[in-house]
Amino acid sequence: MDYKEEDFLPLSGLQHFKFCRRRWALIYIENQWAENYRTVDGTLLHQNAHDKGFRESRGDKLVTRGMNVFSASLGVSGECDVVEFRRGDTGIALPGRDGLWQPYPVEYKRGAPNDRSGDALQLCGQAMCLEQMLCCSIPEGALYFGETRRRAAVPFTGELRQTVRDQLEEMHQLYRRGYTPKVKPTKACGACSLKELCLPKLLRTRPVAQYLSEAMEDVP
């Protein structure tokens, strides 16, 4: 089933959803936002990467920035920080250029590699959009980390692709319901820019019904 364009969700939400479903809902359902050092630093890094007028040719590599992507089957749209087109035996034909050119998406992140983040999901989502738009296969991309100034290759495995589909389906369901989930607070809450809006400490409080039920059990 294809989604209508007005029902598309931002592709960047995959990362927020992986980090915390409640954070994602506060941002994309309730339209709440707050900045901290990490978000400002990340925004500055992406501003440099999203220069749509930038295009660079380096021999067998063409580099573009800020490419708009979408997928009707996934119901998402967004931008790729960088898409490299590498001349080789596979890929697509580019106007005015000989041979085939393999798309290779690159996503910029401010910090260091972290297996718990949704960075790989977001990058894989970009690749899946590009595959549908360009009618090609994209087996791999890369994450560039500002803290280490290094790239990490990300293979787009079947498992990673299925996780992208599953999470996007759950995101669409929550969005249609307009529901903001409650989650268990973790250590990561302290670094979240929305902690003053989310008030994770209040989520530790037991519901009144649970408190009364437990109290009644103690009555002889």
Side-chain angles (χ1 to χ4, degrees):
M1 179 193 74
D2 286 350
Y3 291 88
K4 296 180 180 179
E5 187 173 349
E6 57 266 27
D7 295 326
F8 285 4
L9 295 177
L11 185 57
S12 58
L14 272 168
Q15 182 188 19
H16 295 290
F17 196 77
K18 169 67 174 177
F19 178 77
C20 173
R21 283 162 167 73
R22 181 171 175 81
R23 174 185 170 86
W24 170 83
L26 287 172
I27 295 172
Y28 295 103
I29 295 179
E30 299 189 16
N31 295 314
Q32 299 194 54
W33 181 249
E35 297 279 13
N36 64 10
Y37 167 75
R38 291 178 176 83
T39 60
V40 172
D41 193 37
T43 298
L44 293 176
L45 180 67
H46 279 84
Q47 283 178 350
N48 293 329
H50 282 209
D51 181 2
K52 292 181 180 293
F54 179 90
R55 181 170 294 185
E56 181 180 2
S57 182
R58 307 173 188 170
D60 289 338
K61 182 187 296 184
L62 175 65
V63 182
T64 63
R65 295 182 179 176
M67 180 180 293
N68 294 321
V69 295
F70 71 93
S71 166
S73 64
L74 297 175
V76 291
S77 62
E79 277 188 1
C80 297
D81 286 346
V82 171
V83 179
E84 298 174 352
F85 292 88
R86 302 175 175 184
R87 194 203 306 262
D89 297 329
T90 61
I92 64 172
L94 295 179
R97 297 180 182 273
D98 296 331
L100 296 176
W101 298 77
Q102 178 64 48
Y104 191 89
V106 182
E107 176 71 9
Y108 279 54
K109 298 299 176 183
R110 62 165 296 278
N114 185 345
D115 293 337
R116 298 184 303 275
S117 73
D119 297 340
L121 289 174
Q122 183 180 353
L123 182 66
C124 185
Q126 293 174 3
M128 293 168 73
C129 289
L130 285 168
E131 286 177 334
Q132 294 181 27
M133 293 171 59
L134 302 177
C135 298
C136 68
S137 176
I138 303 177
E140 184 181 282
L143 295 167
Y144 174 85
F145 295 95
E147 187 172 316
T148 61
R149 297 183 182 276
R150 292 182 179 276
R151 285 187 178 188
V154 178
F156 302 133
T157 64
E159 181 181 2
L160 184 61
R161 291 169 181 269
Q162 188 58 49
T163 302
V164 170
R165 296 187 190 97
D166 292 343
Q167 291 211 0
L168 285 173
E169 176 59 29
E170 187 177 350
M171 289 161 62
H172 277 288
Q173 291 177 2
L174 291 173
Y175 192 84
R176 285 193 294 267
R177 293 170 55 197
Y179 178 72
T180 300
K182 292 182 179 180
V183 295
K184 295 181 179 180
T186 67
K187 293 181 179 179
C189 293
C192 179
S193 65
L194 300 185
K195 62 182 179 181
E196 299 302 327
L197 297 172
C198 175
L199 300 177
K201 291 183 179 180
L202 294 183
L203 295 179
R204 294 195 181 101
T205 304
R206 290 178 299 172
V208 174
Q210 179 183 346
Y211 174 81
L212 291 175
S213 176
E214 292 174 357
M216 291 299 291
E217 291 178 359
D218 294 333
V219 175

